[in-house]
């Protein structure tokens, strides 16, 4: 009898220990582990077309999607230049360690990005002027310079000038690579891209809660979208689309929400206003949103005020405030990988105490963004869309966005010819 009692006590003790460990692990995940929601281009927006083709395996599915993309009419003659002028995030800060160099392809350029041991980031043209090696692929960081992996020529990060050839008594005075204007701010590495070389960059605003670590990083999502870059920020001015595709409950998912049985499990209500700023901040536009979820006709919950600042052609700061949950910051960056391929990342920040709630925020925003992707991945760009008077904000947006194209902006047809489709 005593033997069985002892075994029962031991079992109870082990049960409590396991429960405690699971509880601690769950709390740690809720408050300290960021979410990472990542989707490839073939994972969003093609399900409706392919849903009746259940026989397709992963390989044939990708082939079918590639055929759809190639056959899609995109309106090449009407498309604006693919790379507007402005600041672009080409890497998240956490992806580049001290003493590390990487190569990034974006904006029709190949960049070599490296971080020195004193934590300074430099961005240079990737290809060595000597024999053409990619400095970002195997390049070694030496002091404030990057050393070419092919012949060990060294190029200074501050100006791109060659400062050392190990087997020569002097470095060629004319040997240098282009040094790109860059800055590291809000956990992103930005590069200044402008078709007119004499244009000075505007300052990027600091989110003080991120820089001071008052708000912690709660996660991100990453998507690849098959559209022109202008289509993505234009969504903020397309006020009518909020009711059309973002009203159905987030529980209905992002692929085909209107055909989901859960579409009415809490309708989303949106009131929106889009407005451009005036000089000297004419490169900034703002969309103001009021959001709530309808529980019943008279009861709305999860109210949220959102101010989205579109800063230039590709960067958005979303300032969100909830009466019940407080403030949240979301950063959206859009980077053209190719003329019709955009990498979109959202990073989420809030006080640590909001960790559990932020899991739902990341999930909800990701699902809502996938609904937009299902449109972008298939639509054509209309240079002169047929608008009604209630859609004048779209026309205002296009007039505002046109400032990011200039005389020497590379035409879409020119960039398109350099891509192996």
């Amino acid at each position: 009898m005593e033997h069985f009692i002892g075994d029962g006590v031991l079992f109870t003790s082990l049960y409590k220990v396991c429960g405690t460990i699971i509880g601690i692990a769950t709390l740690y995940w809720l408050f300290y582990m960021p979410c990472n929601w990542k989707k490839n281009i073939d994972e969003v927006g093609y399900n409706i077309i392919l849903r009746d083709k259940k026989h397709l395996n992963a390989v044939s599915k990708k082939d079918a999607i590639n055929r759809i993309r190639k056959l899609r009419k995109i309106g090449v003659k009407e498309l604006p230049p693919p790379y507007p002028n402005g600041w672009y995030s080409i890497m998240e800060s956490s992806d580049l360690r001290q003493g590390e160099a990487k190569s990034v392809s974006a904006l029709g350029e190949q960049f070599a990005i490296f971080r020195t041991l004193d934590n300074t980031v430099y961005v240079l043209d990737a290809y060595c002027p000597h024999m053409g090696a990619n400095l970002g692929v195997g390049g070694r960081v030496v002091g404030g310079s990057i050393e070419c992996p092919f012949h060990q020529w060294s190029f200074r990060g501050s100006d791109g000038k060659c400062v050392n050839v190990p087997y020569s008594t002097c470095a060629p005075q004319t040997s240098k690579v282009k040094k790109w204007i860059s800055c590291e701010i809000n956990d992103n590495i930005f590069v200044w891209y402008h078709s007119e070389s004499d244009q000075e960059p505007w300052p990027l605003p600091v989110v003080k809660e991120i820089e001071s670590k008052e708000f912690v990083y709660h996660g991100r999502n990453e998507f690849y979208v098959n559209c022109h870059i202008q289509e993505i920020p234009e969504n903020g001015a397309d006020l009518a689309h909020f009711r059309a595709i973002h009203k159905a409950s987030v529980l209905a998912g992002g692929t085909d929400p209107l055909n989901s049985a859960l579409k009415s499990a809490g309708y989303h209500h949106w009131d929106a206003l889009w407005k451009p700023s005036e000089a000297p901040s004419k490169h900034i536009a703002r969309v103001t949103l009021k959001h709530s979820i309808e529980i019943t006709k008279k009861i709305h919950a999860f109210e949220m005020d959102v101010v989205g600042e579109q800063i230039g052609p590709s960067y958005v700061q979303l300032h969100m405030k909830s009466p019940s949950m407080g403030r949240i910051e979301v950063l959206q960056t859009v980077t053209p990988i190719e003329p019709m391929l955009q990498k979109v990342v959202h990073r989420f920040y809030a006080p640590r105490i909001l960790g559990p709630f932020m899991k739902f925020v990341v999930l909800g925003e990701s699902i809502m963004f996938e609904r937009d992707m299902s449109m972008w991945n298939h639509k054509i760009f209309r240079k002169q869309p047929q608008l009604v008077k209630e859609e004048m904000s779209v026309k205002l947006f296009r007039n505002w966005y046109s400032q990011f194209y200039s005389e020497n902006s590379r035409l879409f047809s020119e960039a398109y010819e350099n891509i192996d489709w």
Side-chain angles (χ1 to χ4, degrees):
M1 186 65 157
E2 292 178 359
H3 175 72
F4 289 110
I5 292 174
D7 287 348
V9 171
L10 179 61
F11 179 79
T12 301
S13 299
L14 288 173
Y15 182 81
K16 288 181 178 179
V17 169
C18 291
T20 301
I21 293 173
I22 292 172
I24 292 172
T26 301
L27 288 173
Y28 184 83
W29 178 79
L30 286 171
F31 288 95
Y32 287 90
M33 292 295 291
C35 296
N36 187 19
W37 180 289
K38 183 176 179 179
K39 292 290 184 73
N40 293 321
I41 191 169
D42 59 344
E43 294 182 276
V44 179
Y46 298 97
N47 303 57
I48 296 175
I49 294 177
L50 299 177
R51 65 184 171 190
D52 295 329
K53 300 180 180 181
K54 298 179 181 179
H55 63 282
L56 294 177
N57 57 35
V59 175
S60 57
K61 179 184 176 183
K62 288 188 176 183
D63 289 340
I65 290 172
N66 284 331
R67 283 197 297 273
I68 293 168
R69 292 179 64 202
K70 288 180 179 180
L71 292 173
R72 169 188 170 201
K73 185 179 179 182
I74 60 175
V76 172
K77 293 182 179 179
E78 297 190 47
L79 283 166
Y83 309 130
N85 301 319
W87 286 105
Y88 290 89
S89 172
I90 54 172
M91 183 175 287
E92 294 165 78
S93 295
S94 57
D95 289 335
L96 190 68
R97 301 189 303 272
Q98 288 179 323
E100 187 176 28
K102 287 190 175 182
S103 176
V104 171
S105 178
L107 296 157
E109 306 285 346
Q110 197 74 29
F111 302 102
I113 310 169
F114 67 98
R115 187 189 296 279
T116 65
L117 293 179
D118 65 3
N119 214 32
T120 303
V121 173
Y122 294 111
V123 181
L124 304 177
D125 264 354
Y127 297 116
C128 179
H130 174 221
M131 295 286 281
N134 190 320
L135 300 174
V137 180
R140 190 167 70 97
V141 180
V142 181
S145 301
I146 185 170
E147 184 182 272
C148 177
F150 202 4
H151 297 88
Q152 296 183 320
W153 288 33
S154 292
F155 297 88
R156 193 161 52 204
S158 59
D159 58 8
K161 187 176 180 180
C162 180
V163 292
N164 182 53
V165 177
Y167 49 86
S168 177
T169 56
C170 64
Q173 293 298 306
T174 58
S175 182
K176 63 183 303 184
V177 293
K178 178 178 179 178
K179 191 265 183 182
W180 290 82
I181 297 172
S182 63
C183 71
E184 186 172 19
I185 189 173
N186 301 330
D187 289 348
N188 279 275
I189 298 169
F190 290 89
V191 67
W192 174 253
Y193 179 95
H194 207 293
S195 301
E196 318 302 325
S197 59
D198 60 342
Q199 293 298 306
E200 292 293 321
W202 59 74
L204 284 169
V206 174
V207 180
K208 64 180 187 300
E209 292 86 355
I210 296 177
E211 294 291 310
S212 67
K213 308 301 182 184
E214 178 184 346
F215 284 9
V216 300
Y217 168 65
H218 285 281
R220 65 191 288 278
N221 57 34
E222 179 181 325
F223 299 100
Y224 290 84
V225 190
N226 183 202
C227 72
H228 187 279
I229 183 175
Q230 182 176 318
E231 305 265 26
I232 296 175
E234 187 168 284
N235 241 33
D238 181 8
L239 307 183
H241 97 281
F242 286 102
R243 179 180 177 84
I245 67 173
H246 295 302
K247 181 179 179 179
S249 171
V250 69
L251 299 177
T255 302
D256 191 12
L258 297 183
N259 287 318
S260 170
L262 297 174
K263 67 179 181 181
S264 58
Y267 287 117
H268 296 268
H269 287 263
W270 308 86
D271 291 318
L273 176 67
W274 185 92
K275 187 178 181 181
S277 298
E278 298 179 354
S281 300
K282 64 178 184 177
H283 60 278
I284 298 177
R286 289 180 176 85
V287 59
T288 304
L289 294 165
K290 286 187 175 294
H291 167 265
S292 64
I293 297 179
E294 177 186 303
I295 306 301
T296 69
K297 290 292 183 182
K298 294 184 178 180
I299 301 176
H300 286 207
F302 296 104
E303 296 179 348
M304 185 81 72
D305 292 325
V306 181
V307 176
E309 291 185 301
Q310 177 74 45
I311 304 162
S314 69
Y315 178 49
V316 177
Q317 293 181 351
L318 291 169
H319 313 292
M320 307 169 70
K321 187 175 182 181
S322 166
S324 56
M325 293 296 175
R327 290 183 52 236
I328 297 168
E329 294 287 334
V330 182
L331 307 182
Q332 181 198 70
T333 58
V334 185
T335 307
I337 305 301
E338 295 175 1
M340 287 293 286
L341 180 61
Q342 316 302 323
K343 177 184 177 181
V344 184
V345 174
H346 297 88
R347 293 177 62 91
F348 299 80
Y349 297 84
R352 175 77 68 189
I353 193 66
L354 292 183
F357 175 67
M358 291 303 296
K359 299 290 189 292
F360 292 102
V361 173
V362 175
L363 173 67
E365 196 278 340
S366 301
I367 289 173
M368 288 297 184
F369 191 79
E370 287 186 6
R371 295 181 186 179
D372 292 316
M373 285 181 63
S374 296
M375 302 297 113
W376 294 325
N377 281 345
H378 299 285
K379 73 185 296 296
I380 188 174
F381 182 86
R382 293 290 190 192
K383 187 175 182 179
Q384 295 181 325
Q386 295 183 358
L387 302 173
V388 297
K389 63 180 182 179
E390 290 82 3
E391 296 176 302
M392 285 301 104
S393 57
V394 174
K395 185 175 181 180
L396 285 174
F397 169 85
R398 293 197 172 191
N399 289 337
W400 172 80
Y401 201 86
S402 66
Q403 68 180 294
F404 306 120
Y405 305 121
S406 57
E407 182 180 356
N408 291 312
S409 290
R410 190 187 312 179
L411 299 177
F412 186 88
S413 56
E414 296 171 339
Y416 187 90
E417 290 173 358
N418 293 328
I419 298 296
D420 182 11
W421 292 90

